[in-house]
């Protein structure tokens, strides 16, 4: 079955530590996205990628980094510079990055600070 | 700042009733509109996409779009307890690459 796989489901970060969230898709989609969701709030865009080896900052990119070395994979690193990382992180993909295409989401990763 | 506004709710309806969820958006040129359902602790799931003014029906769900009023709604007929979730309205950015999400409306369907 085609879909988006995020891992791990739960992640705990220690002070000063970088952590990496995995996102893999087998939908053959060109575009991939990372969102952050805080309780009672909408999804906020962290980074997006239109194509391999290219990615763009979203609205809240500070303290985060990404790579897109393969079409299927778009990992997100939460760096120690992100002082409030506790949130639900969602990876999504769409056939293209044009805003008219619907996005499909993985199951998410919950990140907390130890 | 482009915005998508939704009443946070909760909206409570009895089983079998019609639930009406509303959304307004600020980007006048937007051409693509989406409704997602998000169960507690889960990720959003696409329910409907709508691109033209008027109604679009899919089973018990009807999306309604009025671009002149910058308003999009979702009707759920014969509401079931399993419809209890948060419904996110999302709007594609004009000429851009972003989809702007509202904060969602919580729906409770009482058995």
């Amino acid at each position: 079955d085609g879909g988006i796989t995020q891992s791990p489901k739960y992640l705990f970060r220690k002070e000063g530590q970088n952590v990496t969230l995995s996102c893999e898709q087998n939908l053959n989609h060109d575009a991939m996205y990372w969102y952050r969701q805080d309780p009672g709030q909408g999804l906020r865009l962290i980074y997006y990628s239109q194509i391999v080896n290219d990615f763009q900052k979203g609205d809240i990119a500070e303290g985060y980094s990404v790579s897109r070395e393969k079409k299927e994979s778009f990992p997100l690193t939460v760096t120690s510079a992100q002082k409030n990382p506790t949130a639900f992180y969602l990876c999504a993909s769409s056939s293209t990055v044009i805003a008219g295409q619907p996005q499909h989401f993985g199951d998410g990763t919950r990140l907390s600070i130890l | 700042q482009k915005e998508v506004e939704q009443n946070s709710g909760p909206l409570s309806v009895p089983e079998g009733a019609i639930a009406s969820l509303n959304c307004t958006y600020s980007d006048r040129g937007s051409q693509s509109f989406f409704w997602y359902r998000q169960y507690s602790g889960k990720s959003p799931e696409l329910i409907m996409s709508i691109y033209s003014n008027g109604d679009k029906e899919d089973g018990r769900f009807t999306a309604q779009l009025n671009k002149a009023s910058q308003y999009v709604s979702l009707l759920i007929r014969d509401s079931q307890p399993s419809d209890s979730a948060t419904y996110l309205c999302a709007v594609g950015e004009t000429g851009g690459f972003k989809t702007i999400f509202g904060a969602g409306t919580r729906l409770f369907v009482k058995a």
Side-chain angles (χ1 to χ4, degrees), chain B residues 8 19 24-25 28-30 54 59 62 65 70 77 95 98 101 110:
Chain B
S8 63
T24 59
Y25 58 94
R28 183 170 291 278
S30 291
T62 298
L65 174 62
Q70 295 175 242
R77 290 182 300 281
K98 297 179 186 176
F101 287 81
K110 297 175 293 185

Side-chain angles (χ1 to χ4, degrees), chain B:
Chain B
Q1 181 79 7
K2 295 169 184 173
E3 295 181 336
V4 175
E5 300 286 342
Q6 296 182 254
N7 187 320
S8 63
L11 172 66
S12 184
V13 300
E15 183 175 0
I18 296 174
S20 178
L21 305 164
N22 305 314
C23 170
T24 59
Y25 58 94
S26 63
D27 186 350
R28 183 170 291 278
S30 291
Q31 299 295 320
S32 54
F33 308 86
F34 311 96
W35 282 100
Y36 289 83
R37 177 176 61 200
Q38 187 174 23
Y39 291 114
S40 181
K42 303 295 185 183
S43 63
E45 171 192 10
L46 180 69
I47 299 175
M48 299 277 288
S49 304
I50 186 166
Y51 302 95
S52 303
N53 277 332
D55 295 359
K56 179 181 178 182
E57 187 174 318
D58 184 0
R60 296 186 297 113
F61 299 97
T62 298
Q64 299 175 317
L65 174 62
N66 183 328
K67 291 182 182 178
S69 300
Q70 295 175 242
Y71 177 92
V72 59
S73 65
L74 179 70
L75 301 178
I76 306 174
R77 290 182 300 281
D78 189 23
S79 294
Q80 301 298 309
S82 58
D83 294 326
S84 297
T86 296
Y87 289 80
L88 305 177
C89 174
V91 177
E93 184 182 47
T94 303
F97 307 111
K98 297 179 186 176
T99 299
I100 313 300
F101 287 81
T105 298
R106 290 168 56 204
L107 172 67
F108 289 110
V109 181
K110 297 175 293 185

Side-chain angles (χ1 to χ4, degrees), chain A residues 43-87:
Chain A
L43 278 64
R44 292 186 290 169
L45 182 64
I46 305 173
Y47 269 97
Y48 64 97
S49 170
Q50 303 176 58
I51 198 169
V52 175
N53 292 323
D54 182 68
F55 48 83
Q56 306 296 328
K57 291 182 179 179
D59 300 315
I60 55 164
E62 186 174 349
Y64 300 98
S65 66
V66 294
S67 63
R68 185 90 186 272
E69 297 176 1
K70 298 186 301 180
K71 185 176 183 176
E72 301 80 18
S73 178
F74 192 40
L76 173 74
T77 296
V78 184
T79 74
S80 58
Q82 174 49 249
K83 298 305 180 187
N84 183 24
T86 298

